[in-house]
Amino acid sequence: MKKKKIIFAGTSIFAYYHLKTIIKKKYQVVAILTKEKNNKKNINKHSIVNLAKKNKIKLINSKFNKKNITKIIKQKAHIMILASFGIIIPKKIIDIFPMGCINIHPSLLPRWRGPSPIQRCIIEGDKITGVSIIKINKKIDKGEILNIKTCKIKINDNYETLMFKLIKIGCYLIIKTVKNIFNKIISTKKNIKKYESTYARKIKKIDTLLDWSLECKILERMVRAFYPHPISYFIFKKKIFKVWKANCLLKKHKNNYGEIIDINKKNIIVATLKGFFIIKIIQIEGGKPMKINNFINGRKNIFKIGYILK
């Protein structure tokens, strides 16, 4: 029996590891759709383009124009697999594949449909997340669930650590799902826990701005959700300060929001709506991330107890 042909579509580290796993398992990937640019500067070890070149797989630009659709049709692929693609797949593309299109989505659908599910589940303080393998239809992340598996979110998980947990789950699920589809063992799953549908919209820079009128636990979750990119920040004295690491102390106080109540060798402590936000690693605009003692040594006059950060 001839091998079934796969077209893979994706961009980002999340997509890279799923593609690498599919190739490693000896499935026949005949083409890759990606938004990643094909140029000599693209030397990232997680580059989809470089992985394609290494394995001699045809690259197709992600724009669904007439030229690229013709290229897709010529591959005569049986199925398309998507991971972190970020483009809605038109019905005319879905209809090309006799075994359909499936998407690897890092959430327990229908919770956190959309492009930023990992960040949103951390910010909202979810205790559990997971990966859903769904059949693509014309709606965003609303297709039938073919496979699903949960993942616990630890209190110190950030975007990076949680993403790699979900990649491990996703790689396992996609191989299992593709094997079932190719063997015509197709069944749909119900979500492990019934969730209301929520949408994780694209992260904008304003979303990463720390607002001292929020509770400290929310600000601490923001720092973890946006690490290692794009990094949460605040503005003071017309300069941007990025916060790379922070803790939260839930304690009653009567201080103003944004008031610096203590500075020591390890921390800058800021009052919030509820509790104190404890900054551990900070980066001034144009500088490098530093622990507080190193930062304060060279910049003793920037922050002082009693200053209000706005």
Side-chain angles (χ1 to χ4, degrees):
M1 187 175 70
K2 288 184 178 180
K3 276 189 175 182
K4 298 289 193 296
K5 294 180 181 180
I6 296 169
I7 287 182
F8 184 89
T11 306
S12 81
I13 295 175
F14 187 80
Y16 170 89
Y17 279 103
H18 287 91
L19 174 59
K20 189 176 181 180
T21 298
I22 291 165
I23 294 169
K24 189 178 179 180
K25 292 294 182 179
K26 306 297 183 184
Y27 285 99
Q28 188 178 4
V29 181
V30 293
I32 297 167
L33 274 66
T34 184
K35 292 181 283 184
E36 204 174 277
K37 291 181 180 179
N38 183 4
N39 57 42
K40 290 180 181 179
K41 292 180 182 179
N42 200 345
I43 55 173
N44 188 326
K45 69 176 182 177
H46 297 126
S47 165
I48 296 282
V49 168
N50 290 346
L51 189 59
K53 287 178 179 178
K54 184 179 177 181
N55 291 278
K56 298 178 181 179
I57 301 171
K58 185 178 183 63
L59 281 163
I60 301 174
N61 188 279
S62 61
K63 290 180 181 178
F64 292 124
N65 54 33
K66 189 176 180 180
K67 182 181 177 181
N68 290 333
I69 291 172
T70 300
K71 288 180 181 179
I72 293 168
I73 292 169
K74 281 183 178 179
Q75 301 309 310
K76 296 182 179 178
H78 298 84
I79 192 170
M80 181 157 76
I81 300 171
L82 296 92
S84 187
F85 190 49
I87 297 173
I88 296 171
I89 308 300
K91 189 177 182 299
K92 63 183 176 182
I93 299 297
I94 297 170
D95 291 343
I96 292 171
F97 302 92
M99 292 185 166
C101 302
I102 58 174
N103 184 37
I104 309 160
H105 186 77
S107 84
L108 298 176
L109 292 169
R111 186 158 179 80
W112 303 128
R113 297 162 40 239
S116 58
I118 301 175
Q119 295 96 327
R120 296 295 176 190
C121 75
I122 294 173
I123 292 170
E124 292 299 318
D126 291 359
K127 305 296 182 187
I128 191 170
T129 186
V131 176
S132 304
I133 309 292
I134 64 169
K135 193 172 183 180
I136 295 289
N137 59 25
K138 60 183 180 181
K139 296 179 181 178
I140 300 172
D141 299 330
K142 285 189 176 182
E144 292 177 310
I145 297 174
L146 303 177
N147 241 319
I148 192 165
K149 188 174 175 63
T150 62
C151 172
K152 288 182 180 179
I153 304 172
K154 293 185 178 179
I155 57 170
N156 60 344
D157 267 328
N158 56 43
Y159 172 80
E160 185 175 58
T161 60
L162 186 55
M163 177 186 67
F164 278 106
K165 287 180 185 179
L166 295 173
I167 284 171
K168 187 176 181 180
I169 292 170
C171 288
Y172 163 77
L173 280 187
I174 192 59
I175 297 304
K176 184 180 178 181
T177 307
V178 168
K179 187 177 179 180
N180 285 345
I181 291 171
F182 287 177
N183 290 325
K184 298 181 180 178
I185 305 168
I186 302 171
S187 62
T188 58
K189 310 280 183 181
K190 290 185 178 179
N191 198 326
I192 295 164
K193 183 178 178 181
K194 192 169 177 74
Y195 287 113
E196 289 184 10
S197 179
T198 50
Y199 185 73
R201 62 176 175 78
K202 188 176 180 180
I203 301 296
K204 298 178 182 178
K205 187 175 180 180
I206 192 65
D207 296 323
T208 67
L209 177 64
L210 297 167
D211 179 353
W212 310 116
S213 67
L214 297 173
E215 295 182 21
C216 69
K217 64 180 181 180
I218 296 173
L219 299 177
E220 186 272 338
R221 293 199 298 251
M222 285 175 63
V223 171
R224 289 189 287 116
F226 302 129
Y227 176 92
H229 181 79
I231 302 295
S232 295
Y233 73 99
F234 64 89
I235 299 171
F236 183 62
K237 294 183 177 179
K238 296 182 180 180
K239 289 187 179 293
I240 293 173
F241 294 87
K242 293 185 175 182
V243 179
W244 287 73
K245 187 176 180 181
N247 289 340
C248 169
L249 176 62
L250 284 170
K251 190 176 180 180
K252 290 182 180 180
H253 66 82
K254 294 183 180 180
N255 300 85
N256 294 313
Y257 307 152
E259 182 180 348
I260 298 175
I261 63 135
D262 192 21
I263 300 173
N264 55 56
K265 289 183 179 181
K266 292 184 177 180
N267 312 307
I268 296 173
I269 303 176
V270 184
T272 71
L273 171 66
K274 188 176 181 181
F276 299 106
F277 184 69
I278 304 169
I279 301 171
K280 297 282 188 181
I281 299 177
I282 196 169
Q283 177 186 11
I284 191 171
E285 188 176 341
K288 295 180 180 179
M290 291 183 179
K291 291 182 178 179
I292 297 304
N293 61 333
N294 294 329
F295 183 86
I296 296 300
N297 283 340
R299 302 171 178 83
K300 292 182 179 179
N301 295 320
I302 291 182
F303 300 120
K304 289 186 178 180
I305 295 171
Y307 278 8
I308 307 293
L309 303 179
K310 291 183 179 180

mmCIF file of all heavy atoms in Angstrom, residues 5-9 30-34 58-80 85 89-90 92-98 101:
data_model
loop_
_atom_site.group_PDB
_atom_site.id
_atom_site.type_symbol
_atom_site.label_atom_id
_atom_site.label_comp_id
_atom_site.label_asym_id
_atom_site.label_seq_id
_atom_site.Cartn_x
_atom_site.Cartn_y
_atom_site.Cartn_z
ATOM 1 N N LYS A 5 -0.011 10.764 1.820
ATOM 2 C CA LYS A 5 0.759 12.008 1.729
ATOM 3 C C LYS A 5 0.169 13.080 2.652
ATOM 4 O O LYS A 5 -1.047 13.239 2.734
ATOM 5 C CB LYS A 5 0.768 12.511 0.287
ATOM 6 C CG LYS A 5 1.506 11.595 -0.681
ATOM 7 C CD LYS A 5 1.459 12.162 -2.090
ATOM 8 C CE LYS A 5 2.170 11.260 -3.089
ATOM 9 N NZ LYS A 5 2.108 11.820 -4.463
ATOM 10 N N ILE A 6 1.067 13.818 3.293
ATOM 11 C CA ILE A 6 0.677 14.867 4.244
ATOM 12 C C ILE A 6 1.220 16.210 3.794
ATOM 13 O O ILE A 6 2.373 16.319 3.370
ATOM 14 C CB ILE A 6 1.235 14.552 5.657
ATOM 15 C CG1 ILE A 6 0.630 13.261 6.210
ATOM 16 C CG2 ILE A 6 0.997 15.716 6.614
ATOM 17 C CD1 ILE A 6 1.320 12.758 7.480
ATOM 18 N N ILE A 7 0.382 17.231 3.904
ATOM 19 C CA ILE A 7 0.866 18.616 3.831
ATOM 20 C C ILE A 7 0.765 19.187 5.241
ATOM 21 O O ILE A 7 -0.263 19.051 5.904
ATOM 22 C CB ILE A 7 0.073 19.466 2.827
ATOM 23 C CG1 ILE A 7 0.439 19.075 1.392
ATOM 24 C CG2 ILE A 7 0.330 20.961 3.047
ATOM 25 C CD1 ILE A 7 -0.248 19.877 0.315
ATOM 26 N N PHE A 8 1.845 19.786 5.701
ATOM 27 C CA PHE A 8 1.882 20.370 7.043
ATOM 28 C C PHE A 8 1.847 21.888 6.917
ATOM 29 O O PHE A 8 2.487 22.469 6.048
ATOM 30 C CB PHE A 8 3.154 19.943 7.773
ATOM 31 C CG PHE A 8 3.224 20.414 9.207
ATOM 32 C CD1 PHE A 8 2.703 19.632 10.230
ATOM 33 C CD2 PHE A 8 3.790 21.638 9.531
ATOM 34 C CE1 PHE A 8 2.763 20.062 11.553
ATOM 35 C CE2 PHE A 8 3.847 22.075 10.846
ATOM 36 C CZ PHE A 8 3.330 21.280 11.862
ATOM 37 N N ALA A 9 1.088 22.542 7.818
ATOM 38 C CA ALA A 9 1.007 24.008 7.810
ATOM 39 C C ALA A 9 1.272 24.527 9.214
ATOM 40 O O ALA A 9 0.595 24.129 10.165
ATOM 41 C CB ALA A 9 -0.371 24.453 7.329
ATOM 42 N N VAL A 30 4.868 15.892 2.080
ATOM 43 C CA VAL A 30 5.236 16.265 0.703
ATOM 44 C C VAL A 30 5.401 17.767 0.522
ATOM 45 O O VAL A 30 6.038 18.216 -0.433
ATOM 46 C CB VAL A 30 4.202 15.724 -0.311
ATOM 47 C CG1 VAL A 30 4.250 14.209 -0.354
ATOM 48 C CG2 VAL A 30 2.792 16.218 0.007
ATOM 49 N N ALA A 31 4.822 18.548 1.452
ATOM 50 C CA ALA A 31 4.961 20.012 1.356
ATOM 51 C C ALA A 31 4.656 20.640 2.711
ATOM 52 O O ALA A 31 3.956 20.067 3.543
ATOM 53 C CB ALA A 31 4.026 20.574 0.290
ATOM 54 N N ILE A 32 5.209 21.840 2.894
ATOM 55 C CA ILE A 32 5.000 22.595 4.135
ATOM 56 C C ILE A 32 4.554 24.003 3.780
ATOM 57 O O ILE A 32 5.204 24.697 2.992
ATOM 58 C CB ILE A 32 6.291 22.652 4.978
ATOM 59 C CG1 ILE A 32 6.710 21.238 5.405
ATOM 60 C CG2 ILE A 32 6.095 23.548 6.200
ATOM 61 C CD1 ILE A 32 8.116 21.172 5.971
ATOM 62 N N LEU A 33 3.432 24.403 4.368
ATOM 63 C CA LEU A 33 2.950 25.782 4.234
ATOM 64 C C LEU A 33 3.401 26.548 5.472
ATOM 65 O O LEU A 33 3.167 26.114 6.608
ATOM 66 C CB LEU A 33 1.423 25.826 4.156
ATOM 67 C CG LEU A 33 0.760 25.649 2.794
ATOM 68 C CD1 LEU A 33 1.018 24.240 2.266
ATOM 69 C CD2 LEU A 33 -0.728 25.909 2.882
ATOM 70 N N THR A 34 4.061 27.684 5.277
ATOM 71 C CA THR A 34 4.512 28.465 6.424
ATOM 72 C C THR A 34 4.588 29.946 6.081
ATOM 73 O O THR A 34 4.794 30.314 4.927
ATOM 74 C CB THR A 34 5.879 27.963 6.934
ATOM 75 O OG1 THR A 34 6.245 28.687 8.107
ATOM 76 C CG2 THR A 34 6.971 28.106 5.891
ATOM 77 N N LYS A 58 9.170 20.272 0.019
ATOM 78 C CA LYS A 58 8.780 21.467 -0.719
ATOM 79 C C LYS A 58 8.142 22.507 0.199
ATOM 80 O O LYS A 58 7.302 22.180 1.042
ATOM 81 C CB LYS A 58 7.787 21.102 -1.828
ATOM 82 C CG LYS A 58 7.407 22.256 -2.746
ATOM 83 C CD LYS A 58 6.464 21.782 -3.832
ATOM 84 C CE LYS A 58 6.115 22.907 -4.808
ATOM 85 N NZ LYS A 58 7.282 23.421 -5.548
ATOM 86 N N LEU A 59 8.557 23.763 0.046
ATOM 87 C CA LEU A 59 7.978 24.871 0.804
ATOM 88 C C LEU A 59 6.977 25.628 -0.054
ATOM 89 O O LEU A 59 7.237 25.915 -1.224
ATOM 90 C CB LEU A 59 9.076 25.837 1.261
ATOM 91 C CG LEU A 59 9.894 25.413 2.480
ATOM 92 C CD1 LEU A 59 11.174 26.232 2.565
ATOM 93 C CD2 LEU A 59 9.085 25.578 3.758
ATOM 94 N N ILE A 60 5.829 25.952 0.529
ATOM 95 C CA ILE A 60 4.801 26.736 -0.155
ATOM 96 C C ILE A 60 4.424 27.906 0.738
ATOM 97 O O ILE A 60 4.189 27.732 1.944
ATOM 98 C CB ILE A 60 3.544 25.889 -0.468
ATOM 99 C CG1 ILE A 60 3.915 24.689 -1.358
ATOM 100 C CG2 ILE A 60 2.466 26.736 -1.142
ATOM 101 C CD1 ILE A 60 2.762 23.719 -1.600
ATOM 102 N N ASN A 61 4.376 29.092 0.161
ATOM 103 C CA ASN A 61 3.976 30.278 0.923
ATOM 104 C C ASN A 61 2.550 30.131 1.442
ATOM 105 O O ASN A 61 1.696 29.539 0.785
ATOM 106 C CB ASN A 61 4.086 31.523 0.041
ATOM 107 C CG ASN A 61 3.871 32.796 0.806
ATOM 108 O OD1 ASN A 61 2.740 33.196 1.059
ATOM 109 N ND2 ASN A 61 4.948 33.440 1.206
ATOM 110 N N SER A 62 2.296 30.678 2.618
ATOM 111 C CA SER A 62 1.004 30.472 3.288
ATOM 112 C C SER A 62 -0.160 31.237 2.667
ATOM 113 O O SER A 62 -1.315 31.006 3.026
ATOM 114 C CB SER A 62 1.130 30.868 4.761
ATOM 115 O OG SER A 62 1.484 32.232 4.875
ATOM 116 N N LYS A 63 0.113 32.152 1.750
ATOM 117 C CA LYS A 63 -0.982 32.894 1.113
ATOM 118 C C LYS A 63 -1.756 31.976 0.164
ATOM 119 O O LYS A 63 -1.176 31.330 -0.698
ATOM 120 C CB LYS A 63 -0.430 34.092 0.336
ATOM 121 C CG LYS A 63 0.123 35.197 1.232
ATOM 122 C CD LYS A 63 0.640 36.350 0.402
ATOM 123 C CE LYS A 63 1.220 37.453 1.312
ATOM 124 N NZ LYS A 63 1.767 38.572 0.519
ATOM 125 N N PHE A 64 -3.083 31.967 0.343
ATOM 126 C CA PHE A 64 -3.909 31.084 -0.476
ATOM 127 C C PHE A 64 -4.342 31.789 -1.777
ATOM 128 O O PHE A 64 -5.519 31.977 -2.047
ATOM 129 C CB PHE A 64 -5.127 30.604 0.311
ATOM 130 C CG PHE A 64 -4.771 29.683 1.448
ATOM 131 C CD1 PHE A 64 -5.156 29.974 2.736
ATOM 132 C CD2 PHE A 64 -4.034 28.522 1.217
ATOM 133 C CE1 PHE A 64 -4.830 29.131 3.788
ATOM 134 C CE2 PHE A 64 -3.697 27.670 2.254
ATOM 135 C CZ PHE A 64 -4.091 27.974 3.543
ATOM 136 N N ASN A 65 -3.343 32.149 -2.582
ATOM 137 C CA ASN A 65 -3.657 32.723 -3.892
ATOM 138 C C ASN A 65 -3.708 31.597 -4.937
ATOM 139 O O ASN A 65 -3.434 30.425 -4.627
ATOM 140 C CB ASN A 65 -2.624 33.792 -4.284
ATOM 141 C CG ASN A 65 -1.192 33.275 -4.217
ATOM 142 O OD1 ASN A 65 -0.944 32.097 -4.482
ATOM 143 N ND2 ASN A 65 -0.254 34.125 -3.849
ATOM 144 N N LYS A 66 -4.057 31.949 -6.160
ATOM 145 C CA LYS A 66 -4.258 30.953 -7.221
ATOM 146 C C LYS A 66 -3.005 30.117 -7.466
ATOM 147 O O LYS A 66 -3.072 28.886 -7.612
ATOM 148 C CB LYS A 66 -4.682 31.665 -8.514
ATOM 149 C CG LYS A 66 -5.117 30.709 -9.621
ATOM 150 C CD LYS A 66 -5.618 31.486 -10.831
ATOM 151 C CE LYS A 66 -6.043 30.516 -11.944
ATOM 152 N NZ LYS A 66 -6.542 31.253 -13.138
ATOM 153 N N LYS A 67 -1.848 30.771 -7.452
ATOM 154 C CA LYS A 67 -0.576 30.091 -7.706
ATOM 155 C C LYS A 67 -0.286 29.041 -6.629
ATOM 156 O O LYS A 67 0.088 27.901 -6.939
ATOM 157 C CB LYS A 67 0.551 31.127 -7.761
ATOM 158 C CG LYS A 67 1.920 30.550 -8.070
ATOM 159 C CD LYS A 67 2.970 31.651 -8.080
ATOM 160 C CE LYS A 67 4.367 31.081 -8.321
ATOM 161 N NZ LYS A 67 5.397 32.153 -8.299
ATOM 162 N N ASN A 68 -0.462 29.430 -5.362
ATOM 163 C CA ASN A 68 -0.159 28.509 -4.261
ATOM 164 C C ASN A 68 -1.188 27.383 -4.135
ATOM 165 O O ASN A 68 -0.842 26.260 -3.774
ATOM 166 C CB ASN A 68 -0.053 29.274 -2.944
ATOM 167 C CG ASN A 68 1.188 30.152 -2.891
ATOM 168 O OD1 ASN A 68 2.186 29.858 -3.546
ATOM 169 N ND2 ASN A 68 1.136 31.225 -2.133
ATOM 170 N N ILE A 69 -2.450 27.694 -4.459
ATOM 171 C CA ILE A 69 -3.484 26.646 -4.435
ATOM 172 C C ILE A 69 -3.171 25.575 -5.487
ATOM 173 O O ILE A 69 -3.319 24.381 -5.232
ATOM 174 C CB ILE A 69 -4.892 27.246 -4.658
ATOM 175 C CG1 ILE A 69 -5.301 28.095 -3.438
ATOM 176 C CG2 ILE A 69 -5.924 26.145 -4.894
ATOM 177 C CD1 ILE A 69 -6.571 28.884 -3.626
ATOM 178 N N THR A 70 -2.686 26.011 -6.637
ATOM 179 C CA THR A 70 -2.287 25.064 -7.692
ATOM 180 C C THR A 70 -1.151 24.171 -7.206
ATOM 181 O O THR A 70 -1.145 22.955 -7.455
ATOM 182 C CB THR A 70 -1.850 25.829 -8.964
ATOM 183 O OG1 THR A 70 -2.941 26.630 -9.430
ATOM 184 C CG2 THR A 70 -1.439 24.860 -10.079
ATOM 185 N N LYS A 71 -0.191 24.767 -6.506
ATOM 186 C CA LYS A 71 0.929 23.991 -5.946
ATOM 187 C C LYS A 71 0.434 22.947 -4.950
ATOM 188 O O LYS A 71 0.921 21.815 -4.922
ATOM 189 C CB LYS A 71 1.929 24.920 -5.258
ATOM 190 C CG LYS A 71 2.759 25.776 -6.196
ATOM 191 C CD LYS A 71 3.713 26.662 -5.398
ATOM 192 C CE LYS A 71 4.538 27.555 -6.307
ATOM 193 N NZ LYS A 71 5.441 28.440 -5.508
ATOM 194 N N ILE A 72 -0.533 23.350 -4.126
ATOM 195 C CA ILE A 72 -1.098 22.428 -3.132
ATOM 196 C C ILE A 72 -1.801 21.258 -3.815
ATOM 197 O O ILE A 72 -1.612 20.096 -3.454
ATOM 198 C CB ILE A 72 -2.076 23.176 -2.191
ATOM 199 C CG1 ILE A 72 -1.309 24.181 -1.318
ATOM 200 C CG2 ILE A 72 -2.847 22.197 -1.310
ATOM 201 C CD1 ILE A 72 -2.199 25.157 -0.566
ATOM 202 N N ILE A 73 -2.610 21.565 -4.826
ATOM 203 C CA ILE A 73 -3.358 20.528 -5.562
ATOM 204 C C ILE A 73 -2.404 19.526 -6.207
ATOM 205 O O ILE A 73 -2.632 18.314 -6.194
ATOM 206 C CB ILE A 73 -4.288 21.166 -6.612
ATOM 207 C CG1 ILE A 73 -5.413 21.951 -5.921
ATOM 208 C CG2 ILE A 73 -4.874 20.096 -7.541
ATOM 209 C CD1 ILE A 73 -6.221 22.837 -6.851
ATOM 210 N N LYS A 74 -1.291 20.026 -6.768
ATOM 211 C CA LYS A 74 -0.322 19.172 -7.461
ATOM 212 C C LYS A 74 0.330 18.133 -6.541
ATOM 213 O O LYS A 74 0.805 17.100 -7.005
ATOM 214 C CB LYS A 74 0.767 20.038 -8.109
ATOM 215 C CG LYS A 74 0.329 20.686 -9.413
ATOM 216 C CD LYS A 74 1.484 21.468 -10.034
ATOM 217 C CE LYS A 74 1.058 22.081 -11.373
ATOM 218 N NZ LYS A 74 2.176 22.866 -11.982
ATOM 219 N N GLN A 75 0.342 18.406 -5.253
ATOM 220 C CA GLN A 75 0.974 17.464 -4.308
ATOM 221 C C GLN A 75 0.141 16.201 -4.118
ATOM 222 O O GLN A 75 0.653 15.178 -3.663
ATOM 223 C CB GLN A 75 1.195 18.146 -2.952
ATOM 224 C CG GLN A 75 2.076 19.380 -2.983
ATOM 225 C CD GLN A 75 3.390 19.142 -3.696
ATOM 226 O OE1 GLN A 75 4.092 18.167 -3.409
ATOM 227 N NE2 GLN A 75 3.723 20.020 -4.626
ATOM 228 N N LYS A 76 -1.150 16.276 -4.443
ATOM 229 C CA LYS A 76 -2.069 15.140 -4.287
ATOM 230 C C LYS A 76 -1.990 14.525 -2.894
ATOM 231 O O LYS A 76 -1.942 13.301 -2.715
ATOM 232 C CB LYS A 76 -1.790 14.079 -5.354
ATOM 233 C CG LYS A 76 -2.053 14.568 -6.782
ATOM 234 C CD LYS A 76 -1.810 13.486 -7.815
ATOM 235 C CE LYS A 76 -2.100 13.993 -9.225
ATOM 236 N NZ LYS A 76 -1.838 12.975 -10.264
ATOM 237 N N ALA A 77 -1.955 15.392 -1.895
ATOM 238 C CA ALA A 77 -1.878 14.944 -0.499
ATOM 239 C C ALA A 77 -3.237 14.455 -0.012
ATOM 240 O O ALA A 77 -4.283 14.913 -0.485
ATOM 241 C CB ALA A 77 -1.376 16.072 0.384
ATOM 242 N N HIS A 78 -3.205 13.539 0.937
ATOM 243 C CA HIS A 78 -4.444 12.976 1.478
ATOM 244 C C HIS A 78 -4.995 13.809 2.645
ATOM 245 O O HIS A 78 -6.206 13.816 2.882
ATOM 246 C CB HIS A 78 -4.200 11.540 1.961
ATOM 247 C CG HIS A 78 -3.784 10.610 0.881
ATOM 248 N ND1 HIS A 78 -2.479 10.490 0.452
ATOM 249 C CD2 HIS A 78 -4.509 9.748 0.114
ATOM 250 C CE1 HIS A 78 -2.410 9.601 -0.520
ATOM 251 N NE2 HIS A 78 -3.628 9.133 -0.746
ATOM 252 N N ILE A 79 -4.103 14.481 3.359
ATOM 253 C CA ILE A 79 -4.510 15.183 4.574
ATOM 254 C C ILE A 79 -3.604 16.391 4.809
ATOM 255 O O ILE A 79 -2.447 16.403 4.379
ATOM 256 C CB ILE A 79 -4.445 14.223 5.796
ATOM 257 C CG1 ILE A 79 -5.133 14.826 7.022
ATOM 258 C CG2 ILE A 79 -3.004 13.811 6.101
ATOM 259 C CD1 ILE A 79 -5.307 13.831 8.173
ATOM 260 N N MET A 80 -4.154 17.422 5.462
ATOM 261 C CA MET A 80 -3.329 18.546 5.891
ATOM 262 C C MET A 80 -3.376 18.631 7.416
ATOM 263 O O MET A 80 -4.445 18.545 8.019
ATOM 264 C CB MET A 80 -3.794 19.875 5.287
ATOM 265 C CG MET A 80 -2.904 21.049 5.717
ATOM 266 S SD MET A 80 -2.925 22.477 4.605
ATOM 267 C CE MET A 80 -4.506 23.198 5.009
ATOM 268 N N PHE A 85 -0.742 27.814 12.953
ATOM 269 C CA PHE A 85 -0.676 28.364 11.589
ATOM 270 C C PHE A 85 -1.157 29.813 11.537
ATOM 271 O O PHE A 85 -0.614 30.639 10.825
ATOM 272 C CB PHE A 85 -1.478 27.484 10.640
ATOM 273 C CG PHE A 85 -1.295 27.809 9.182
ATOM 274 C CD1 PHE A 85 -0.033 27.954 8.637
ATOM 275 C CD2 PHE A 85 -2.392 27.956 8.347
ATOM 276 C CE1 PHE A 85 0.142 28.247 7.291
ATOM 277 C CE2 PHE A 85 -2.242 28.243 7.001
ATOM 278 C CZ PHE A 85 -0.970 28.393 6.472
ATOM 279 N N ILE A 89 -8.511 28.560 7.386
ATOM 280 C CA ILE A 89 -8.430 27.743 6.170
ATOM 281 C C ILE A 89 -9.748 27.821 5.401
ATOM 282 O O ILE A 89 -10.796 27.409 5.907
ATOM 283 C CB ILE A 89 -8.126 26.271 6.508
ATOM 284 C CG1 ILE A 89 -6.901 26.162 7.418
ATOM 285 C CG2 ILE A 89 -7.909 25.450 5.228
ATOM 286 C CD1 ILE A 89 -5.622 26.722 6.840
ATOM 287 N N PRO A 90 -9.726 28.344 4.167
ATOM 288 C CA PRO A 90 -10.958 28.430 3.374
ATOM 289 C C PRO A 90 -11.490 27.043 3.000
ATOM 290 O O PRO A 90 -10.726 26.080 2.902
ATOM 291 C CB PRO A 90 -10.509 29.180 2.107
ATOM 292 C CG PRO A 90 -9.152 29.709 2.387
ATOM 293 C CD PRO A 90 -8.553 28.871 3.460
ATOM 294 N N LYS A 92 -12.440 25.935 0.219
ATOM 295 C CA LYS A 92 -11.876 25.423 -1.039
ATOM 296 C C LYS A 92 -10.538 24.714 -0.815
ATOM 297 O O LYS A 92 -10.150 23.839 -1.608
ATOM 298 C CB LYS A 92 -11.722 26.552 -2.066
ATOM 299 C CG LYS A 92 -10.765 27.664 -1.662
ATOM 300 C CD LYS A 92 -10.747 28.765 -2.709
ATOM 301 C CE LYS A 92 -9.859 29.933 -2.268
ATOM 302 N NZ LYS A 92 -9.865 31.038 -3.261
ATOM 303 N N ILE A 93 -9.833 25.065 0.267
ATOM 304 C CA ILE A 93 -8.590 24.370 0.615
ATOM 305 C C ILE A 93 -8.915 23.073 1.346
ATOM 306 O O ILE A 93 -8.344 22.017 1.052
ATOM 307 C CB ILE A 93 -7.686 25.262 1.499
ATOM 308 C CG1 ILE A 93 -7.299 26.552 0.763
ATOM 309 C CG2 ILE A 93 -6.440 24.491 1.930
ATOM 310 C CD1 ILE A 93 -6.471 26.349 -0.482
ATOM 311 N N ILE A 94 -9.846 23.138 2.297
ATOM 312 C CA ILE A 94 -10.253 21.940 3.044
ATOM 313 C C ILE A 94 -10.708 20.841 2.088
ATOM 314 O O ILE A 94 -10.369 19.665 2.253
ATOM 315 C CB ILE A 94 -11.384 22.273 4.041
ATOM 316 C CG1 ILE A 94 -10.893 23.274 5.101
ATOM 317 C CG2 ILE A 94 -11.900 21.009 4.728
ATOM 318 C CD1 ILE A 94 -11.996 23.839 5.984
ATOM 319 N N ASP A 95 -11.460 21.235 1.062
ATOM 320 C CA ASP A 95 -12.034 20.273 0.113
ATOM 321 C C ASP A 95 -10.992 19.577 -0.766
ATOM 322 O O ASP A 95 -11.292 18.569 -1.411
ATOM 323 C CB ASP A 95 -13.064 20.967 -0.777
ATOM 324 C CG ASP A 95 -14.318 21.377 -0.004
ATOM 325 O OD1 ASP A 95 -14.514 20.853 1.110
ATOM 326 O OD2 ASP A 95 -15.081 22.222 -0.504
ATOM 327 N N ILE A 96 -9.770 20.094 -0.801
ATOM 328 C CA ILE A 96 -8.703 19.483 -1.600
ATOM 329 C C ILE A 96 -8.302 18.117 -1.031
ATOM 330 O O ILE A 96 -7.946 17.210 -1.768
ATOM 331 C CB ILE A 96 -7.457 20.409 -1.652
ATOM 332 C CG1 ILE A 96 -7.769 21.684 -2.470
ATOM 333 C CG2 ILE A 96 -6.246 19.677 -2.248
ATOM 334 C CD1 ILE A 96 -6.687 22.738 -2.389
ATOM 335 N N PHE A 97 -8.415 17.961 0.291
ATOM 336 C CA PHE A 97 -7.857 16.790 0.965
ATOM 337 C C PHE A 97 -8.935 15.738 1.254
ATOM 338 O O PHE A 97 -9.866 16.001 2.026
ATOM 339 C CB PHE A 97 -7.175 17.217 2.263
ATOM 340 C CG PHE A 97 -6.088 18.235 2.051
ATOM 341 C CD1 PHE A 97 -6.366 19.600 2.131
ATOM 342 C CD2 PHE A 97 -4.807 17.837 1.714
ATOM 343 C CE1 PHE A 97 -5.374 20.548 1.905
ATOM 344 C CE2 PHE A 97 -3.806 18.779 1.486
ATOM 345 C CZ PHE A 97 -4.091 20.131 1.583
ATOM 346 N N PRO A 98 -8.819 14.543 0.663
ATOM 347 C CA PRO A 98 -9.851 13.516 0.851
ATOM 348 C C PRO A 98 -10.010 13.067 2.304
ATOM 349 O O PRO A 98 -11.091 12.635 2.701
ATOM 350 C CB PRO A 98 -9.357 12.357 -0.034
ATOM 351 C CG PRO A 98 -7.920 12.642 -0.322
ATOM 352 C CD PRO A 98 -7.769 14.110 -0.281
ATOM 353 N N CYS A 101 -8.656 18.111 6.938
ATOM 354 C CA CYS A 101 -7.604 18.901 7.581
ATOM 355 C C CYS A 101 -7.791 18.807 9.091
ATOM 356 O O CYS A 101 -8.916 18.901 9.587
ATOM 357 C CB CYS A 101 -7.697 20.366 7.175
ATOM 358 S SG CYS A 101 -7.580 20.663 5.404
#
